[in-house]
Amino acid sequence: MSNATAPSAIDTAHLRTAIQIANESVAAGNHPFGAVLADPDGTVVLSAQNSVVTERDVTCHAETNLVRLAMRKYGPDQLASFTLYTSCEPCAMCAGAIYWSGIGRVVFALGETTLYELTGINPDNPTLAVPSRVVFGGGQRSTEVVGPALEDEAAVAHESFWR
């Protein structure tokens, strides 16, 4: 696992797309989370939003929804060279799904601790506070992680949603 210090211009553009999808998720009646998957050329090939409320399924986070779609369309060898962009740092469940799919790189906007501050969850005693880097770091293959980036932009949907 590695931690690149700054996102590229392509990363920033795709993060903004994921943030827009998070806003669309709220408009659809769900929580403010969105994700996109890009191939090695930087082309977005899939997108997904959170659907926990409308699907009545707590596992329907944007990232797990995207992983399900990706696994139906691409093999692990292909996914190793893809990048998943997400509006918020993947939770432990999502990071696990990303890891098992074989996606090789993750770029996120809003960090987990900032999300906790916005939602009012106590970061000193949450129920499942496991940073994505910890989950990915426990694996046998490397997953590159970049983030947080664009936190101010990503926070907007959360500031209005959780209050």
Side-chain angles (χ1 to χ4, degrees):
M1 178 191 66
S2 65
N3 177 17
T5 57
S8 70
I10 291 172
D11 292 340
T12 300
H14 290 332
L15 283 176
R16 287 193 171 113
T17 301
I19 292 167
Q20 178 56 40
I21 293 168
N23 291 323
E24 294 168 7
S25 180
V26 172
N30 290 293
H31 301 140
F33 301 96
V36 298
L37 185 68
D39 69 15
D41 295 328
T43 302
V44 171
V45 295
L46 292 170
S47 66
Q49 59 183 245
N50 179 287
S51 59
V52 166
V53 175
T54 55
E55 293 292 326
R56 298 181 55 144
D57 181 342
V58 297
T59 68
C60 286
H61 292 192
E63 300 89 344
T64 54
N65 287 341
L66 189 63
V67 166
R68 286 183 193 106
L69 294 170
M71 291 300 297
R72 291 180 185 127
K73 189 169 182 176
Y74 302 102
D77 291 341
Q78 288 175 291
L79 291 173
S81 62
F82 284 38
T83 300
L84 187 149
Y85 296 91
T86 181
S87 62
C88 190
E89 181 173 359
C91 70
M93 174 186 71
C94 292
I98 294 164
Y99 176 81
W100 288 116
S101 75
I103 293 170
R105 184 169 182 261
V106 175
V107 181
F108 66 88
L110 188 69
E112 178 183 56
T113 55
T114 305
L115 176 65
Y116 291 151
E117 293 168 10
L118 293 170
T119 61
I121 296 170
N122 180 349
D124 296 324
N125 192 24
T127 57
L128 199 61
V130 181
S132 62
R133 284 180 173 89
V134 171
V135 175
F136 294 126
Q140 294 179 339
R141 87 176 108 64
S142 178
T143 302
E144 181 182 353
V145 180
V146 178
L150 304 180
E151 280 198 297
D152 291 343
E153 292 179 38
V156 172
H158 292 275
E159 290 169 346
S160 59
F161 183 83
W162 302 108
R163 291 186 185 175

